[in-house]
Amino acid sequence: MQFIDLKSQYQALKPSINARIQAVLDHGQFIMGPEVAELEAKLAAYTGAKHCITVASGTEALLIALMAEGIGPGHEVITTPFTFAATAETIVLAGAKPVFVDIKPGDCNIDPALIEAAITPATRAIMPVGLYGQVADMDEINAIAARHGLSVIEDAAQSFGATYKGRKSCNVSRIGATSFFPSKPLGCYGDGGALFTNDDVLAQAMREIRTHGQSQRYLHTRVGVGGRMDTLQCAIVLGKLERFEWEIEERKRIGARYAELIRASGAPVELLQVAPDRDCVWAQYTVKVANRPAVVEALKQQGIPTAVHYPRPLHKQPAYAVPDCPAEAFPHSNWAADVVMSLPMSADLDAATQERVVQALRSATTQV
């Protein structure tokens, strides 16, 4: 059983993806070829954002966003400790300090009720994360940012394709940043990412930063990075876009069926909460279980792959540890790190396999 079934996806899209790759091999423009602009136009139209700037990875997207906002030494950025390291990593690489705010236990996204207390004169931005595929409470976060003159950079590495109050993820704040890592809802076959904004000045800055700060060839108007997304990877995403809407609907349907099956099974498993004013694209289908190591092992013995996103929050990571952090700090993040577990999930997950997973989950959680 595949944890993420990219092979079935490729078989369904093989003619389109192969043709797209072959077109790049034929024209030979491997950097900034025509597929780059084509993908940017299509992704901008999809999200409703005015500008899309493709970049080398989701990590690069966050770093370029911070650089475009002029965030650096002496500045602070508020974010969640319950996320992948890249969220805090880019803040540190920009020279700023990540300031952690705990999550809500229901959906594992940053708790906006705790953000204002973390703002200091050094705060320059808030970086919420759409964990597991559900957009955070962006209206509340944007309102806090507006009151304090802060930027909001949405880390939408897992939530691209999701909808929040009728708006698409990556078009719900000043800047949206996403990833096309292969396992994401919309993934390439390597690294890739994109930035979104409705601000013309920011868009120009981000375009320049991704090409070593060039406003034109060999004229470097700002400090930049080598942050372009390869033409081949853009071509692959273009091929995958052909059935992306279908995949999103399937992910939502499969996620709803997981919840229905788990509830019907009576398994002692806590489900993630999805707010009624938004949806979730289930980048990972994550549940919460007691005695996780034993459950993971029991599922493994039955041929069911699992993953943990994430086993150690960032404030407990050596690279991002909070000095003199009291044991009771970030209690919801600490708890989530001990109980979350992700089940197999992809748009091609069939009903029989899903039923097998839930039966195994029930057996594992009731016997440990």
Side-chain angles (χ1 to χ4, degrees):
M1 185 185 301
Q2 301 287 319
F3 182 70
I4 299 170
D5 187 3
L6 294 177
K7 293 180 181 179
S8 293
Q9 183 194 55
Y10 172 64
Q11 289 304 316
L13 292 167
K14 187 174 182 178
S16 176
I17 291 175
N18 285 3
R20 284 282 188 176
I21 291 172
Q22 189 61 53
V24 177
L25 296 176
D26 289 341
H27 67 57
Q29 298 177 56
F30 299 112
I31 301 295
M32 300 304 289
E35 287 80 4
V36 176
E38 181 184 357
L39 179 60
E40 290 176 347
K42 289 185 174 179
L43 293 178
Y46 177 80
T47 61
K50 186 176 181 181
H51 301 280
C52 170
I53 302 97
T54 55
V55 293
S57 68
T59 305
E60 207 75 17
L62 294 174
L63 179 60
I64 290 171
L66 291 163
M67 293 173 69
E69 289 284 39
I71 293 170
H75 298 156
E76 295 175 354
V77 177
I78 293 172
T79 192
T80 164
F82 193 61
T83 179
F84 184 59
T87 309
E89 177 181 64
T90 54
I91 297 167
V92 174
L93 287 172
K97 174 186 175 184
V99 174
F100 298 126
V101 164
D102 208 2
I103 59 172
K104 298 185 299 173
D107 62 11
C108 293
N109 278 336
I110 193 169
D111 188 344
L114 304 177
I115 290 176
E116 209 142 18
I119 295 173
T120 74
T123 307
R124 291 296 180 272
I126 306 168
M127 190 182 286
V129 178
L131 201 67
Y132 304 135
Q134 181 180 190
V135 177
D137 298 317
M138 297 304 292
D139 280 359
E140 294 88 336
I141 293 168
N142 286 330
I144 294 167
R147 287 197 296 271
H148 295 272
L150 307 176
S151 176
V152 177
I153 301 168
E154 180 197 11
D155 182 344
Q158 297 180 23
S159 61
F160 189 79
T163 301
Y164 170 84
K165 298 184 178 181
R167 292 169 285 160
K168 288 290 188 184
S169 177
C170 285
N171 190 26
V172 290
S173 63
R174 182 166 163 84
I175 302 174
T178 196
S179 167
F180 301 130
F181 187 78
S183 63
K184 304 301 182 187
L186 182 62
C188 54
Y189 291 157
D191 276 315
L195 287 153
F196 299 83
T197 188
N198 293 307
D199 187 292
D200 295 344
V201 174
L202 265 179
Q204 182 62 27
M206 292 189 290
R207 286 193 184 97
E208 291 178 7
I209 291 168
R210 77 166 170 187
T211 53
H212 302 283
Q214 295 180 101
S215 56
Q216 61 188 60
R217 190 167 176 81
Y218 297 131
L219 180 59
H220 302 268
T221 50
R222 63 181 80 233
V223 174
V225 296
R228 298 162 299 199
M229 185 170 170
D230 296 344
T231 308
L232 275 168
Q233 299 300 342
C234 288
I236 290 161
V237 176
L238 281 166
K240 289 192 175 189
L241 269 178
E242 293 184 7
R243 73 165 202 168
F244 184 57
E245 286 281 14
W246 175 85
E247 288 201 14
I248 291 299
E249 291 307 311
E250 283 299 290
R251 283 178 170 273
K252 291 190 288 187
R253 182 187 66 80
I254 292 166
R257 189 163 188 267
Y258 254 137
E260 179 184 332
L261 290 170
I262 291 170
R263 290 191 183 105
S265 76
V269 173
E270 184 178 339
L271 305 178
L272 284 171
Q273 296 174 8
V274 179
D277 58 4
R278 68 203 74 171
D279 59 26
C280 184
V281 297
W282 300 113
Q284 291 87 28
Y285 191 83
T286 301
V287 298
K288 304 159 191 171
V289 297
N291 198 2
R292 184 178 64 204
V295 173
V296 167
E297 182 58 30
L299 289 171
K300 182 180 178 182
Q301 293 302 318
Q302 297 187 62
I304 310 294
T306 60
V308 177
H309 306 93
Y310 298 95
R312 181 181 294 189
L314 297 185
H315 66 279
K316 291 186 175 181
Q317 296 284 358
Y320 309 105
V322 177
D324 303 317
C325 183
E328 65 273 14
F330 316 113
H332 297 314
S333 297
N334 293 334
W335 167 78
D338 287 338
V339 300
V340 295
M341 181 184 71
S342 301
L343 302 174
M345 181 62 178
S346 63
D348 296 292
L349 185 67
D350 62 78
T353 302
Q354 195 173 17
E355 288 166 7
R356 180 186 161 202
V357 170
V358 174
Q359 288 169 3
L361 179 65
R362 181 187 183 281
S363 174
T365 54
T366 55
Q367 293 179 15
V368 296

